[in-house]
Amino acid sequence: MMYRLVADAAMVVHFLFLVYMAVGGFLAWRWRRTIWVHLAVAAWGVLSIVTGVECPLTLAEDWGRRQAGMEGLPASGFIDHYIEGVVYPEAYTNLARLGVAVLVLFSYVGYVLRRQ
């Protein structure tokens, strides 16, 4: 039971992390100091895409699922399992990434403009 909670908590935190990566820059319009957190989150997103480094949240969820006697996440990882093919078709992965990048850049431009 406890391992299942670990897996589920890691999954929820992972979804929240991805939502924050996409729109968290807009929070900095109101709470300016959060821009540093968002820069780190966005950098991690870029790093994970460019290098393919595995996210610790994916590892935690996979570990929790396996310890609970469930099937682990597929080798392709969290996004392929929960998002690609569910939220958007797999063929649109690059378009989805571009959309998130545009959102982040727009939030940063807005941050700079609002700061002046």
Side-chain angles (χ1 to χ4, degrees):
M1 175 71 169
M2 193 61 160
Y3 294 118
R4 174 71 189 260
L5 289 174
V6 168
D8 290 346
M11 177 191 57
V12 169
V13 171
H14 212 157
F15 272 113
L16 293 173
F17 184 88
L18 292 174
V19 169
Y20 183 73
M21 183 172 50
V23 298
F26 295 103
L27 293 177
W29 291 14
R30 173 80 167 95
W31 297 288
R32 292 179 186 228
R33 291 184 182 163
T34 63
I35 195 68
W36 299 108
V37 175
H38 193 266
L39 284 167
V41 167
W44 175 260
V46 170
L47 178 73
S48 67
I49 290 170
V50 172
T51 66
V53 66
E54 198 160 10
C55 179
L57 291 169
T58 300
L59 296 172
E61 181 186 355
D62 186 60
W63 178 82
R65 290 170 63 101
R66 290 180 191 279
Q67 294 300 315
M70 301 168 61
E71 185 177 324
L73 287 174
S76 55
F78 178 87
I79 291 179
D80 290 344
H81 182 69
Y82 290 111
I83 298 177
E84 284 182 354
V86 177
V87 176
Y88 57 83
E90 205 171 318
Y92 294 105
T93 297
N94 288 332
L95 186 60
R97 288 177 178 170
L98 178 63
V100 170
V102 167
L103 270 176
V104 170
L105 290 174
F106 181 76
S107 72
Y108 290 169
V109 168
Y111 173 81
V112 170
L113 292 175
R114 291 177 60 93
R115 194 165 174 215
Q116 295 175 351

